[in-house]
Amino acid sequence: MKQPWFDITYLRNTKARFICAKHQALSAFKACLPMVTSSALKLLSVMTKRHILFACFFFTLLALLASKMVFLASHRPCSKGLQALLRKTVTPPIFTDRHGRLLAGNARTYSVYAHTKSIKNPRHTVASLCKLFPDLKKTVIEKNLTKNGGFVWIKRHITPRQRRAFLKAGLRGCFLQKEVRRVYPHKNLFCHAIGMTDIDGHGLSGLSYGLDKKITHVTTSLDLSLQHIAYCELKKYIDHFNAKAGNVLLVHIPTGEIRAMVSLPDFNPYHPHKTPAHHLFNRNLSGVYEFGSVMKIHNVAMGLEQGVTSLNQSFDTTHPLRLGHFRVSDFRGKGGYVTLHDAFVRSSNIVNARVAMAAGVNLQKAFFKKIGLFERIMLEAPETASPLLPKTWSETTLATLSYGYGMALTPLHLAQSVATLSTGFFRPLTLYKRNKPAPAKRMISKRTASIICNLLQKCASQGNARKASVSGYDVGSKTGTANLLHAGTYQKRNNRVTCVSIFPTQKPQYVLLATLDSPQPCAETFGFATAGWIAAPLAGALVKRLAPLLKKYTSNAG
Amino acid sequence: MHFLFSPRMNPLFALSVSVAVLCLISVMYVKYQADMLHRAVQTLQRKKNMLTENMMLLDLEWAFLNAPERLERLQKELLPNLQPVTLTQMIRALPPELVQKPSVKKRK
């Protein structure tokens, strides 16, 4: 039976047994010792000088080997610091666009480190290093080389010329370490989509963030040519209208792939620390905004889908709609009775508010939830934001939501929901290449979807989005102008202008979203800073340049 | 060691010793060959890595050279008459029944 360890008797017995065994071993050794010594003496008496010489030689050899083994086991040429740092560095994956064109890759570089304990003449080493790398500060190198730690980085990612000079100098205690450096051949073009990495290759934002170390190659859904066109056009419009910021999003509806995603202002991925913090912000994924009249698409779709209204129903727009102390009026409204069809084309706030009020809070909530406006969109890039929903859903909220105020969404939400409303199917978006159509789930009826497409087409041909239509391309558009919220009040002269387009309207294949923040009016726009004058021409210019490069565009040209 | 060379040595013992020696030699030989192959594999692996890195550098250079921004700049400098594709160029590729003939105004 096993004794418990705390039993004092058991412990005593164990100790006694141990002492007994020790004595037995000692006595046996003592008994053997004379026998061993006598046999050794006998052996020595038999051995000749030659034998002794051989024995000495082999003993020396064995001793040398043993000492070498001890040295190898104890000595580490690479110090703990370097080992730890090398474990931290990773090789980030290569990113290509959907046609296999390189967007971000890795180049082989070398870094210089020093093993301070091996440096015999620190002063000479510091002087030589300063000569080799003029951008390094002498005091910093001196401070680093006098550390007791052993390992210290001197300079990361040196140029090939510097490497040759370093090897030629042959400094004692300074070594080269092979590394990889992130290279962005297109500089700022994909800075938000792909993101940036730190000096050790760890992804910090965008698609680079949180990737498995085993992944070596990522094929994105983005298209280099489309991205470049979107970037150039957006930059041109931002400069022309002196806007603060802007973003463009192009989504291929059947696959849910994001083909172009531009957010300006942007940053240089080689020097992200030198740019202001708001430049690092990806407006397409992280920004939540009120989009204004663009949300009327959702409101009308809700009314038609829930059977609350019909296209031919007339509404009185003579007087503004009063809701408590709020007043809902139309921008340049003509008044009188208008049908829902005309109200959508004219972008009437009053009619949309009436439709929303007829539907009620529960129907509106249920519809918005159904098309995915209440949830964060999970994308491969982690910085997607959740929408900002109203805290209380009152009658006023109901009315303001109908024309795009009171709920802040990301551009991603808007593009996805417009794609859903124009086709009737919900498809998840992606930034990775999909070779087959995305899994689709029917959300609204085919009839409602086709009505929405026709309404958007009418809006582009007769409504405020006339400048978004391009001759020969079957484009449907809706514009939205929203006052910017600053310190709790809406600024009347500071707008966010948005234009969302689908093309071709007969069978929508692409959704294009273009937004500009705080554009300034000019003589060309007759003093207006509205979406019809600024965002719609941008969308038109984009469609004009992008559509010829896209696989499927309208065939009713001519 | 003298018993090894004595005439009374067991032949089975001699055979087993010689087989053991042969085995030792063959093991040494195979080990040497394996070491050589291992070195060859390491050399090839190093070469492969070097080539992969060089290929990546070439890919990066190709990407730099074909960057749309650079091509656009070069086009503006060298081919100023080259314009983006327009719809009028596309219509020619369509079937004739879809192409609308331009209306010609008759001058009086």
Side-chain angles (χ1 to χ4, degrees), chain A residues 26-40:
Chain A
L26 272 172
S27 56
F29 180 70
K30 277 174 188 172
C32 288
L33 197 63
M35 201 167 69
V36 171
T37 45
S38 63
S39 55

Side-chain angles (χ1 to χ4, degrees), chain A residues 191-443:
Chain A
C191 61
H192 285 119
I194 288 176
M196 53 187 173
T197 55
D198 63 4
I199 200 161
D200 292 321
H202 297 281
L204 298 177
S205 66
L207 285 173
S208 303
Y209 183 81
L211 274 179
D212 195 334
K213 285 178 187 173
K214 288 174 188 169
I215 296 172
T216 54
H217 185 257
V218 176
T219 308
T220 63
S221 63
L222 300 164
D223 188 310
L224 176 60
S225 312
L226 305 180
Q227 181 87 359
H228 173 69
I229 290 168
Y231 184 89
C232 290
E233 288 296 329
L234 182 65
K235 199 165 177 55
K236 196 165 87 181
Y237 270 76
I238 284 179
D239 293 343
H240 186 74
F241 291 106
N242 203 14
K244 280 183 183 168
N247 57 289
V248 168
L249 197 65
L250 179 71
V251 176
H252 183 234
I253 299 172
T255 54
E257 290 175 335
I258 296 171
R259 294 284 168 89
M261 185 169 74
V262 183
S263 171
L264 290 175
D266 58 357
F267 62 94
N268 185 345
Y270 291 113
H271 308 290
H273 53 280
K274 287 182 183 173
T275 49
H278 72 275
H279 285 221
L280 304 175
F281 186 70
N282 187 353
R283 299 167 57 79
N284 283 308
L285 307 185
S286 311
V288 283
Y289 311 106
E290 290 171 321
F291 285 104
S293 298
V294 175
M295 293 299 288
K296 284 170 189 166
I297 305 171
H298 304 68
N299 190 54
V300 169
M302 176 196 68
L304 294 171
E305 183 67 13
Q306 310 288 6
V308 174
T309 183
S310 67
L311 274 184
N312 296 323
Q313 192 181 347
S314 292
F315 295 89
D316 184 14
T317 62
T318 317
H319 304 291
L321 185 69
R322 289 193 176 277
L323 294 165
H325 62 280
F326 285 103
R327 207 178 67 157
V328 179
S329 58
D330 286 348
F331 178 70
R332 300 171 77 196
K334 288 177 183 173
Y337 277 84
V338 288
T339 59
L340 182 66
H341 179 277
D342 291 345
F344 184 82
V345 176
R346 283 192 207 170
S347 193
S348 168
N349 294 343
I350 299 170
V351 173
N352 275 282
R354 284 189 192 282
V355 169
M357 286 165 73
V361 173
N362 292 336
L363 274 183
Q364 193 183 44
K365 263 187 181 178
F367 186 76
F368 284 0
K369 194 174 181 181
K370 193 178 170 186
I371 57 172
L373 296 186
F374 284 4
E375 285 166 14
R376 181 184 164 200
I377 294 175
M378 299 309 286
L379 213 63
E380 290 81 4
E383 59 256 41
T384 50
S386 298
L388 291 180
L389 305 174
K391 283 176 188 170
T392 53
W393 216 287
S394 64
E395 198 178 28
T396 317
T397 316
L398 182 73
T400 56
L401 279 174
S402 68
Y403 52 89
Y405 284 93
M407 185 165 72
L409 304 169
T410 63
L412 213 58
H413 277 100
L414 188 57
Q416 191 181 42
S417 57
V418 170
T420 305
L421 297 177
S422 59
T423 56
F425 290 97
F426 174 86
R427 292 180 178 90
L429 300 182
T430 181
L431 271 167
Y432 286 171
K433 190 182 176 182
R434 266 189 195 141
N435 292 320
K436 54 185 179 182
K441 192 180 170 188
R442 170 138 326 255
M443 285 296 166

Side-chain angles (χ1 to χ4, degrees), chain A residues 521-544:
Chain A
C522 59
E524 193 187 318
T525 63
F526 302 100
F528 289 107
T530 53
W533 285 100
I534 296 167
L538 170 61
L542 283 166
V543 172
K544 200 175 179 180

Side-chain angles (χ1 to χ4, degrees), chain A residues 94 102 104-108 178 183-187 189 224-225 228 232 270 471-473 544-545 548 553 555 557-558, chain B residues 49-51 53-54 56-57 59-61 63-64 66-70 72 84-87 90-91 94 98-101:
Chain A
I94 297 159
L102 199 67
N106 305 313
R108 180 189 62 231
K178 200 170 165 184
V183 181
Y184 304 94
H186 308 290
K187 292 176 193 166
L189 195 58
L224 176 60
S225 312
H228 173 69
C232 290
Y270 291 113
S471 170
Y473 295 109
K544 200 175 179 180
R545 284 192 69 186
Y553 59 93
S555 61
Chain B
N49 288 345
M50 187 67 85
L51 283 173
E53 284 168 3
N54 288 345
M56 175 46 73
L57 283 178
D59 278 345
L60 284 168
E61 199 175 342
F64 270 118
N66 285 287
E69 191 191 352
R70 180 178 172 274
E72 200 171 304
V85 182
T86 58
L87 194 70
M90 296 284 176
I91 290 167
L94 290 171
L98 283 175
V99 181
Q100 195 179 34
K101 286 177 184 175

Side-chain angles (χ1 to χ4, degrees), chain A residues 58-69:
Chain A
F58 281 113
F59 270 116
T60 321
L61 203 68
L62 279 171
L64 277 172
L65 281 171
S67 61
K68 182 69 182 172
M69 278 171 70

